[in-house]
Amino acid sequence: MAPKWRELADKLAERIRSGEYAPGQQLPHIRDLVEAGEGSKSTVHAAYKALEAEGLVTSSRGHGTVVRQQAPLKRLGIARYDKAKWRDGDEVAFIADRVASGRAYKRGEQTQSVSRVPAPAMVAAAHGLPEGAEVYARARLVKEGDQPTHTLTSYYRPEHVEGTRIVDPAPGPAGRGGGFRVLYDAGYDIDHMREELFARIPTTEEATLLQLAPGEWVVELHRTTYTADGTVVEFAIGIHAASRFAWAYDFKVPDSAQEAKQ
Amino acid sequence: MAPKWRELADKLAERIRSGEYAPGQQLPHIRDLVEAGEGSKSTVHAAYKALEAEGLVTSSRGHGTVVRQQAPLKRLGIARYDKAKWRDGDEVAFIADRVASGRAYKRGEQTQSVSRVPAPAMVAAAHGLPEGAEVYARARLVKEGDQPTHTLTSYYRPEHVEGTRIVDPAPGPAGRGGGFRVLYDAGYDIDHMREELFARIPTTEEATLLQLAPGEWVVELHRTTYTADGTVVEFAIGIHAASRFAWAYDFKVPDSAQEAKQ
DNA sequence: TAGTGGTCTAGACCACTTC
DNA sequence: AAGTGGTCTAGACCACTAA
């Protein structure tokens, strides 16, 4: 026998999924359900809290409890890094994504700050630097309208970017074409990348910054960008609201026996 | 001012992270903390429930509340599909992963069932079949010792696998070399793949099957496998406990302008 | 001011495990 | 039987929002 609060939560969840309670619509008030004999206030509240943790509703004092509308997944493929976009045109990679998905770019959807900092251990390892060596950190918070979707912090070696637009802490994308274009103009043509991703529980700062629903996880993405000779020119860490993104990768099936013959 | 239960949870979380409460160790009993003036039983319980949702502890009736030990992340790179492993040797891809990570393969760590079913919409789309067309589904539950880590269900077109070992519902990997080897022997040499992944809340069945901690998310992976001529020979859906895996991908930066010239 | 969700208490009782 | 976490209640009070 499942607990009473769990049964109530499941009943409401079922009605939400069936569309009986539509996105944006108010759920019954807690006190009404108490009145209706669904349990004490604590019990009904526990059910509502479970629904909130499951991402189905959001509650706020004074307002009530409303069914969340799920933003559609944003699909990220490696095509978002297409050189044609940032080298030949003047789109920034992440803006190109938006154009492709039919959303207009709005000013102010990205805030940026640049600073010179001692490299955290992971950054130092990626760049092959001693821990604590100084690097430039370019931190962005990207929004979709009012809603923050992810942070992205790029770390550069000073000798690669000193004197370029990247170091200029003006807001907005790092000039025409973004960071890759700046590196390109400085003689560092990016060639290949490695992305590593995993999901985890957000820190409280991340939960606040990204306005995460209670219980929502984040996906942390590590991107290492290389030139053709294997030099690391950028290491970036992104923190994404887990419910808003999907990633896709295409690759050849490796064959180490074949490579050995060549 | 944060709620009392939140403050208590944060205090305990801090002690866990600092190592004061080591993995496997018991946390103070709820009634003891009530005695110590940390609040009423409900309040202390709320704090413990939050810690459980955050994956820091597990509680069970009769036993108590102990600090969880986090299994280390298992890193999945595309090297796990290396043809040399399953074509020339007799390792199955997922077993090769374990060998690489120093874990021994134990019999019974994978359960398998094969059935002929109408294709779900997503599977039909991937295979280019009409919805409801029949396909073979090979479902596995993979464990690490006693702990389930992920499910993986492969869908094949009947004409590709009819009469092969794949259709034989015997337990264990699909014979020497696994599913890819069987396809290879049947004349379908796999060439490239597409993987798509996203995080979501588990269904209640998944939470039970994978023994997920309350609040833990899953990562759903869609793998489409092609031969050189673009034929889809396998579409697989994996459900992973989100806290246990990391994925890595290496790729060239695309350049559509360059490709157009070629 | 009235109405919303959120917190907290004290205590009863339940479910499960160990002795 | 004793001890653990989990559920539930009734009611008081708090924090926030809207009219």
Side-chain angles (χ1 to χ4, degrees):
Chain A
M1 180 68 168
K4 207 167 170 179
W5 62 265
R6 181 70 269 175
E7 293 199 330
L8 175 55
D10 287 342
K11 191 165 74 178
L12 293 168
E14 173 53 33
R15 292 191 188 164
I16 289 170
R17 280 188 248 268
S18 78
E20 189 171 338
Y21 293 125
Q25 191 177 339
Q26 287 241 354
L27 247 57
H29 295 143
I30 289 183
R31 284 168 174 82
D32 291 347
L33 291 183
V34 173
E35 193 76 10
E38 294 288 359
S40 71
K41 196 181 170 188
S42 300
T43 303
V44 177
H45 178 233
Y48 274 45
K49 201 172 174 184
L51 291 174
E52 188 173 41
E54 286 155 22
L56 289 172
V57 306
T58 56
S59 294
S60 61
R61 287 195 259 231
H63 279 131
T65 302
V66 299
V67 179
R68 277 181 77 183
Q69 22 219 344
Q70 325 277 44
L73 280 190
K74 190 156 158 183
R75 297 190 145 70
L76 303 179
I78 65 173
R80 71 187 185 279
Y81 298 123
D82 191 343
K83 290 189 182 185
K85 289 182 181 163
W86 51 263
R87 185 190 52 203
D88 310 325
D90 58 357
E91 291 177 292
V92 182
F94 80 93
I95 296 179
D97 269 336
R98 280 205 198 121
V99 171
S101 61
R103 299 189 188 92
Y105 169 71
K106 294 198 201 90
R107 205 173 253 282
E109 291 204 337
Q110 177 176 340
T111 59
Q112 171 170 258
S113 69
V114 178
S115 56
R116 191 170 169 136
V117 297
M122 176 165 295
V123 174
H127 273 293
L129 290 169
E131 194 169 337
E134 291 219 317
V135 291
Y136 276 101
R138 182 163 69 105
R140 290 88 98 197
L141 173 65
V142 182
K143 296 183 182 179
E144 185 89 40
D146 288 334
Q147 179 72 40
T149 62
H150 63 288
T151 65
L152 186 60
T153 305
S154 295
Y155 296 91
Y156 306 95
R157 294 179 75 134
E159 62 266 37
H160 291 157
V161 296
E162 203 76 72
T164 68
R165 290 194 304 273
I166 282 180
V167 181
D168 172 17
R176 271 169 66 106
F180 294 146
R181 175 60 185 265
V182 172
L183 287 169
Y184 180 79
D185 290 342
Y188 300 100
D189 190 10
I190 66 173
D191 178 72
H192 58 283
M193 296 176 156
R194 177 183 180 82
E195 290 194 345
E196 185 169 356
L197 15 67
F198 57 94
R200 61 170 173 78
I201 292 165
T203 65
T204 53
E205 293 79 35
E206 288 163 352
T208 307
L209 190 61
L210 296 176
Q211 296 175 20
L212 299 175
E216 171 150 24
W217 283 38
V218 292
V219 172
E220 182 168 335
L221 173 75
H222 295 174
R223 178 178 78 204
T224 315
T225 309
Y226 304 84
T227 58
D229 67 2
T231 305
V232 174
V233 288
E234 185 212 34
F235 177 71
I237 298 179
I239 310 292
H240 302 71
S243 65
R244 297 176 146 263
F245 293 89
W247 287 263
Y249 298 92
D250 294 280
F251 55 93
K252 290 272 289 185
V253 177
D255 189 350
S256 58
Q258 200 58 32
E259 286 162 20
K261 280 183 212 158
Q262 287 173 348
Chain B
M1 181 66 168
K4 207 166 171 181
W5 62 266
R6 183 69 267 176
E7 292 200 330
L8 175 55
D10 287 342
K11 190 164 75 179
L12 293 168
E14 173 55 32
R15 292 189 188 165
I16 290 170
R17 280 188 249 265
S18 79
E20 188 170 340
Y21 293 125
Q25 190 177 340
Q26 286 241 354
L27 246 57
H29 296 142
I30 288 183
R31 285 169 174 81
D32 291 346
L33 290 183
V34 172
E35 191 76 11
E38 295 286 1
S40 71
K41 197 181 170 189
S42 300
T43 304
V44 176
H45 178 234
Y48 273 45
K49 201 171 172 186
L51 291 174
E52 188 173 40
E54 287 155 22
L56 289 172
V57 305
T58 55
S59 295
S60 62
R61 286 194 257 230
H63 279 132
T65 302
V66 299
V67 179
R68 282 183 72 185
Q69 22 218 349
Q70 321 279 42
L73 280 189
K74 191 156 158 183
R75 297 190 145 71
L76 302 179
I78 65 174
R80 70 186 185 278
Y81 298 123
D82 191 345
K83 289 188 182 184
K85 290 182 182 164
W86 52 263
R87 184 191 52 203
D88 310 324
D90 58 357
E91 291 176 294
V92 182
F94 80 94
I95 295 178
D97 268 337
R98 282 208 196 120
V99 172
S101 61
R103 299 188 187 92
Y105 169 72
K106 293 197 202 91
R107 208 174 251 281
E109 291 204 339
Q110 177 176 340
T111 60
Q112 171 171 255
S113 70
V114 178
S115 57
R116 190 170 171 137
V117 297
M122 178 165 295
V123 174
H127 273 293
L129 290 168
E131 194 169 337
E134 292 218 318
V135 291
Y136 276 101
R138 183 164 68 105
R140 290 89 97 197
L141 173 63
V142 182
K143 296 183 183 179
E144 184 90 38
D146 287 336
Q147 179 72 43
T149 62
H150 63 289
T151 65
L152 186 60
T153 305
S154 295
Y155 296 91
Y156 305 96
R157 295 179 74 133
E159 63 265 38
H160 292 157
V161 297
E162 202 78 72
T164 68
R165 291 195 303 273
I166 282 180
V167 181
D168 172 16
R176 269 168 66 104
F180 294 146
R181 175 60 184 267
V182 172
L183 287 169
Y184 179 79
D185 290 343
Y188 299 101
D189 189 11
I190 67 174
D191 178 73
H192 57 282
M193 296 177 154
R194 177 185 181 82
E195 289 193 347
E196 185 168 355
L197 16 67
F198 57 94
R200 61 170 174 77
I201 293 164
T203 64
T204 52
E205 294 80 34
E206 288 163 351
T208 307
L209 190 62
L210 296 176
Q211 297 174 20
L212 298 176
E216 171 149 24
W217 282 38
V218 293
V219 172
E220 182 167 335
L221 173 76
H222 295 174
R223 177 178 79 203
T224 315
T225 308
Y226 303 85
T227 58
D229 67 2
T231 306
V232 174
V233 289
E234 186 213 33
F235 177 71
I237 298 179
I239 310 292
H240 302 71
S243 64
R244 297 175 145 264
F245 294 89
W247 287 263
Y249 298 93
D250 293 280
F251 55 92
K252 290 272 290 185
V253 177
D255 189 351
S256 58
Q258 200 60 31
E259 285 163 21
K261 278 183 212 158
Q262 287 172 349

